[in-house]
């Protein structure tokens, strides 16, 4: 990273100390860093005591066969028992596990831990009746309904690793994933609600499964009541086989390293990568970080991860972490603008949500819609905010803090990956003075470093590659069925040092705090200057008229690569429509030059109505690059809304 790029950092002088009251009662104090530094293994061993083990481990970490880790070796436990049964046994059967909110108004359900236990046992019995055995894979292709959680926990309960596939993915994406992990049973629904209308799921399953001859059963939840095709002998209704099953099921304890789930990473081309997570370490890592970073007080907090379960964020922080901690969570089926743009704030007010965890892309969308919308709701129950998925630009951070957090809630910018399973780099709410735009430090027990091409630490004030230097409990164990690719993808780059290569660029500021710069393949080279997409995007978003920005480097004869920007304007900025886009574009280019330097000035800026995003909110810059380089747009199957690319192309042809 050039020093020019780095210099932009020093503009950010704002600091937010932890609220006094939160700090006084925080679950975790600064002492945790010292404790973990003194003995990382003992630190994680203590964290493992949070769970209920059937058999205690003999060895905390076995790293002899690196990079294949084994955590809590010799230990045995059942994940569903830890997430549900033990809370019921502790007298919390009547406590709400989920306030579930369907997309159609007034379509809500509260599910207690007692009810969840009964449903999970019924589903476990039904799966056993369908012939699912320990170790068999089950694919789950569902909307955001309680049965999705029940299905995941039922699989965990009987030791059958699940693979949840986003409900928004196409039938071919589903087929590839079923085939890659050789799932024999698929759990789905007739459909789910999306943007005010039922969206079908079953036809995609029928199509996918027609090319998966080994799938013998498809278990179907009736959610929308729409018509479905039926294959006798293969398809079974959930209400027939689950709801009639016994609520008694004895959970068997599995080895700590027994596979829990496979999650395929989205947005990459080629064969999907099946990230494998296992039992003990994963539950230790997710439950500890959920408790520490969100300062979870299970008796009083109402926790809401506003994300899809088909994303790792949903797995770790809607399902496993919160349930292991006995939390009460909100789970919402639909989109933020159905039936109106204030839906989230209405939900927060209604349930008294205290902790909100969401993606910067959502925050920037709310910025675009205008602060008047959240201002109409009473958000005073909130005490802590979280962000995940992409770097949060300082502007979005401040907007979130002010307009959602009422200037009293600290913002946890959490960096992690499908591969890491658990939060890795984040502030601690009772300890850290937050800086807008920085994810701050590796959490206690986690070792991160920013290194150069040779794997040497770059030191403060410099940029390079983010690496993780020590194993951690919830780390991926391998890629499903492909140990070689696992080694190549994550461990080969810094093999000599034995570091995990995260694939993200990062820099350390003068205090040694970490700033994420996006994927390393998002770094541009303009006339020999290395520029980060994130930084130019942040500069654009800091202009009052810009809500969202995406930047790509497109081939350029003169400069090697040139900066191409795509921007969405804030709605309030459009009111009156006085200014001609041409003037605005000049103004934006000058603004970037002022914020970063003339070298970063975008060659072109295109005003667009939407940006292409995955359902986890990541901008698919690859597609914008296709547009910028005048190529046909590539695979759009992992886009949340595949019509977006048409809108962008139309914008170009109409000369906007
Ligand atoms: C949890 C999740 C992982 C990639 C990761 C990075 C980006 C996630 C971030 C962030 C900056 C943050 N990312 N959180 N970048 N700041 N707080 O998103 O998993 O879908 O696997 O994506 O997302 O680039 O490498 P996943």
């Amino acid at each position: 990273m050039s020093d020019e790029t780095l210099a932009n950092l020093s503009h950010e002088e704002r600091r937010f100390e932890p609220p006094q009251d939160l700090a006084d009662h925080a679950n975790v104090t600064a002492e945790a860093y010292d404790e973990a530094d003194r003995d990382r293994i003992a630190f994680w061993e203590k964290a493992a005591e949070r769970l209920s083990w059937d058999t205690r481990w003999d060895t905390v970490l076995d790293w002899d066969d690196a990079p294949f880790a084994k955590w809590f070796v010799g230990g045995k436990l059942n994940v569903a028992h830890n997430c549900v049964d033990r809370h019921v046994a502790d007298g919390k059967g009547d406590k709400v596990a989920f306030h579930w909110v369907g997309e159609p108004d007034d379509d809500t359900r509260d599910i207690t831990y007692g009810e969840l236990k009964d449903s999970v046992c019924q589903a476990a019995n039904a799966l056993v009746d369908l012939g699912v055995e320990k170790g068999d894979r089950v694919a789950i292709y569902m909307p955001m309904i309680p049965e999705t959680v029940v299905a995941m926990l039922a699989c965990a309960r009987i030791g059958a690793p699940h693979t949840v596939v986003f409900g928004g993915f196409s039938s071919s994406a589903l087929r590839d994933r079923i085939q890659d992990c050789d799932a024999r049973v698929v759990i789905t629904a007739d459909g789910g609600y999306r943007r005010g209308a039922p969206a079908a799921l079953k036809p995609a399953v029928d199509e996918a499964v027609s090319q998966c001859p080994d799938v013998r059963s498809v278990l179907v939840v009736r959610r929308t009541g729409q018509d479905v095709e039926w294959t006798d002998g293969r398809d079974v209704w959930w209400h027939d086989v689950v709801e009639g099953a016994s609520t008694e099921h004895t959970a068997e304890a599995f080895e700590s390293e027994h596979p829990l789930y496979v999650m395929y990473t989205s947005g990459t081309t080629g064969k999907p990568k099946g990230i494998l997570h296992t039992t003990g370490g994963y539950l230790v890592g997710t439950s500890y970080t959920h408790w520490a970073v969100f300062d979870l007080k299970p008796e009083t907090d109402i926790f809401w991860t506003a994300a899809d379960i088909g994303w790792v964020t949903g797995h770790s922080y809607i399902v496993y972490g919160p349930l292991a901690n006995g939390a009460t969570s909100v789970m919402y089926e639909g989109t933020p603008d159905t039936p109106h743009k204030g839906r989230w704030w209405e939900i927060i007010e209604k349930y008294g949500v205290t902790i909100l965890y969401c993606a910067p892309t959502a925050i920037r969308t709310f910025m675009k819609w205008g602060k008047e919308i959240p201002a109409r709701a009473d958000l005073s129950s909130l005490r802590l905010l979280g962000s995940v998925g992409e770097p949060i630009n300082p502007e979005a951070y401040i907007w979130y803090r002010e307009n959602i957090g009422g200037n009293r809630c600290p913002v946890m910018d959490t960096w992690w990956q499908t591969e890491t399973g658990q939060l890795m780099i984040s502030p601690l709410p009772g300890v850290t003075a937050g800086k807008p735009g920085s994810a701050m430090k590796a959490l206690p027990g986690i070792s991160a470093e920013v290194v150069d091409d040779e794997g040497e630490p770059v030191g403060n004030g410099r940029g390079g590659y983010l690496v993780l230097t020590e194993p951690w409990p919830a780390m991926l164990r391998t890629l499903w069925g492909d140990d070689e690719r696992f080694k190549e993808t994550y461990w080969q780059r810094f093999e000599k040092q034995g570091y995990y290569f995260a694939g993200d660029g990062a820099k350390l500021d003068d205090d040694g705090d970490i700033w994420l710069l996006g994927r390393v393949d998002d770094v541009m080279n303009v006339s020999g200057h290395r520029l980060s997409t994130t930084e130019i995007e942040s500069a654009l978003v800091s202009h009052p008229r810009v809500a969202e920005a995406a930047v790509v480097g497109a081939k350029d004869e003169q400069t090697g690569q040139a900066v191409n920007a795509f921007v969405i304007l804030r709605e309030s900025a459009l009111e009156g429509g006085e200014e001609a886009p041409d003037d605005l574009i000049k103004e934006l280019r000058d603004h970037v030059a002022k914020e970063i330097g003339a070298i970063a000035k975008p060659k072109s800026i295109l005003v667009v109505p939407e940006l292409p995003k995955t359902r986890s909110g990541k901008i698919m810059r690859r597609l914008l690059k296709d547009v910028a380089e005048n190529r046909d747009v590539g695979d759009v199957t992992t886009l949340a809304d595949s019509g977006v690319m048409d809108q962008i192309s139309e914008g170009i042809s109409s000369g906007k």
Side-chain angles (χ1 to χ4, degrees), residues 311 388-391 413-418 504 516 519 618:
W311 181 24
V388 56
E390 285 213 277
D413 176 5
T414 63
W415 178 91
W416 60 296
Q417 308 176 298
T418 307
D504 278 350
L516 278 313
R519 305 292 300 169
K618 290 191 208 335

Side-chain angles (χ1 to χ4, degrees), residues 102 109 112 177 393 448 596:
R109 271 162 70 186
T112 64
R177 286 156 176 73
N393 332 78
I596 304 180

Side-chain angles (χ1 to χ4, degrees), residues 506-540:
K507 62 194 173 190
L508 297 176
D509 66 14
D510 291 338
D511 304 324
D513 291 322
I514 302 173
W515 296 68
L516 278 313
L517 297 173
R519 305 292 300 169
V520 288
D521 39 22
D522 288 343
V523 173
M524 292 168 290
N525 194 325
V526 180
S527 305
H529 295 264
R530 282 169 57 118
L531 295 170
S532 116
T533 51
T534 300
E535 231 145 1
I536 303 176
E537 287 165 7
S538 278
L540 285 165

Side-chain angles (χ1 to χ4, degrees), residues 528-592:
H529 295 264
R530 282 169 57 118
L531 295 170
S532 116
T533 51
T534 300
E535 231 145 1
I536 303 176
E537 287 165 7
S538 278
L540 285 165
V541 173
S542 74
H543 188 281
R545 300 196 49 179
V546 176
E548 281 215 69
V551 165
V552 296
K555 274 200 206 74
D556 187 277
E557 286 194 359
Q558 222 181 341
T559 55
Q561 278 187 312
V563 180
N564 281 247
F566 298 78
V567 298
I568 303 181
L569 299 180
R570 282 206 209 191
E571 248 154 53
S572 50
L574 290 172
E575 269 160 26
E578 42 349 304
E579 202 167 359
D582 275 357
D583 296 345
L584 178 62
I585 282 162
K586 178 171 183 316
E587 191 178 317
L588 294 179
R589 296 182 71 229
D590 291 345
H591 180 72
V592 173

Side-chain angles (χ1 to χ4, degrees), residues 16-20 22-23 26-28 33 289 291-296 383-385 410-412 426-434 443:
F16 296 104
E17 294 293 334
Q20 194 56 51
L22 198 158
N27 287 348
V28 179
Y33 293 106
T289 50
W291 172 81
V293 173
F294 299 112
D295 190 45
L296 181 88
R383 67 180 194 93
L384 198 147
L385 302 173
V411 176
M412 303 297 111
S426 164
L428 278 177
V431 180
T432 317
L443 287 168

Side-chain angles (χ1 to χ4, degrees), residues 263-266 275 311-313 317 357 360 387-392 412-423 425 437-439 466 500 502-505 515-520 522 534 614 616 618:
M263 162 125 261
Y264 288 88
T265 50
S266 68
I275 308 295
W311 181 24
V312 71
T313 301
Y317 299 102
Y357 188 37
S387 168
V388 56
E390 285 213 277
I392 177 164
M412 303 297 111
D413 176 5
T414 63
W415 178 91
W416 60 296
Q417 308 176 298
T418 307
E419 290 86 344
T420 68
Q422 62 176 84
L423 311 181
I425 302 174
S438 169
L466 180 70
Y500 169 89
D504 278 350
W515 296 68
L516 278 313
L517 297 173
R519 305 292 300 169
V520 288
D522 288 343
T534 300
T614 65
S616 67
K618 290 191 208 335

Side-chain angles (χ1 to χ4, degrees), residues 161-496:
H162 55 71
T163 186
V164 178
V165 180
F166 260 138
F169 281 1
S170 63
S171 69
S172 51
L174 175 62
R175 175 201 61 207
D176 292 348
R177 286 156 176 73
I178 292 174
Q179 287 177 349
D180 189 71
C181 69
D182 191 19
R184 304 295 171 95
V185 171
V186 180
I187 307 178
T188 188
D190 47 1
Y193 287 92
R194 202 124 193 111
R195 295 194 192 284
L201 285 172
K202 179 75 168 39
V205 175
D206 290 336
E207 200 181 320
V209 169
S210 70
Q211 293 164 60
C212 305
D214 293 330
V215 171
R216 58 169 190 271
S217 308
V218 177
L219 180 54
V220 189
V221 175
R222 185 181 280 152
R223 160 71 184 129
T224 59
Q226 62 205 110
D227 284 341
V228 290
E229 298 272 328
W230 206 252
T231 304
D232 286 328
R234 185 196 72 186
D235 297 350
V236 280
W237 283 113
W238 177 278
H239 53 257
D240 285 340
V241 298
V242 175
E243 283 161 25
S246 160
T247 55
E248 298 297 319
H249 179 273
T250 311
E252 185 189 335
F254 299 111
E255 302 287 338
S256 178
E257 282 301 331
H258 186 72
L260 177 62
Y261 70 82
V262 180
M263 162 125 261
Y264 288 88
T265 50
S266 68
T268 49
T269 46
K271 192 171 174 285
K273 281 191 292 190
I275 308 295
L276 175 67
H277 285 294
T278 60
T279 302
Y282 176 78
L283 207 59
V284 171
T286 52
S287 63
Y288 171 76
T289 50
H290 178 250
W291 172 81
V293 173
F294 299 112
D295 190 45
L296 181 88
K297 306 286 195 266
E299 298 314 319
T300 47
D301 275 320
I302 306 290
F303 179 79
W304 184 15
T305 291
D308 198 290
I309 282 191
W311 181 24
V312 71
T313 301
H315 279 50
S316 297
Y317 299 102
I318 296 178
V319 182
Y320 292 112
L323 291 177
N325 287 332
T328 296
S329 292
V330 164
M331 177 174 167
Y332 172 52
E333 178 186 28
T335 61
D337 53 355
T338 308
H340 59 80
K341 290 175 176 166
R343 188 74 196 267
W344 278 27
W345 321 122
E346 210 173 73
I347 293 173
I348 290 177
E349 180 176 311
K350 174 168 177 195
Y351 292 100
V353 171
T354 57
I355 305 167
L356 174 67
Y357 188 37
C358 67
T361 178
I363 299 162
R364 290 188 299 254
T365 301
F366 298 134
M367 285 172 76
K368 180 177 75 175
W369 291 345
K371 62 183 177 195
E372 316 72 54
I373 296 175
R376 278 181 217 128
D378 177 1
L379 304 180
S380 60
S381 56
L382 286 170
R383 67 180 194 93
L384 198 147
L385 302 173
S387 168
V388 56
E390 285 213 277
I392 177 164
N393 332 78
E395 249 17 71
Y397 179 112
I398 297 286
W399 190 94
Y400 192 30
R401 223 193 112 85
E402 284 179 5
N403 295 290
I404 308 306
N407 272 323
R408 57 175 197 280
C409 307
V411 176
M412 303 297 111
D413 176 5
T414 63
W415 178 91
W416 60 296
Q417 308 176 298
T418 307
E419 290 86 344
T420 68
Q422 62 176 84
L423 311 181
M424 302 295 281
I425 302 174
S426 164
L428 278 177
V431 180
T432 317
K435 297 177 187 174
S438 169
M440 305 301 289
K441 284 192 187 328
L443 287 168
I446 300 299
S447 314
E449 187 62 84
V450 180
V451 299
D452 62 18
D453 274 318
E454 268 66 59
E456 293 300 320
V458 293
N460 290 0
R462 301 193 65 85
Y465 303 105
L466 180 70
V467 294
L468 302 166
T469 60
E470 298 287 350
W472 62 98
M475 69 195 288
L476 78 166
R477 298 306 196 257
T478 188
L479 295 180
W480 185 259
D482 205 342
D483 289 349
E484 272 317 303
R485 191 173 175 202
F486 167 66
K487 287 197 270 188
E488 264 166 45
T489 312
Y490 305 105
W491 303 93
Q492 200 158 288
R493 185 72 180 75
F494 297 108
E495 197 172 8
K496 204 170 79 200

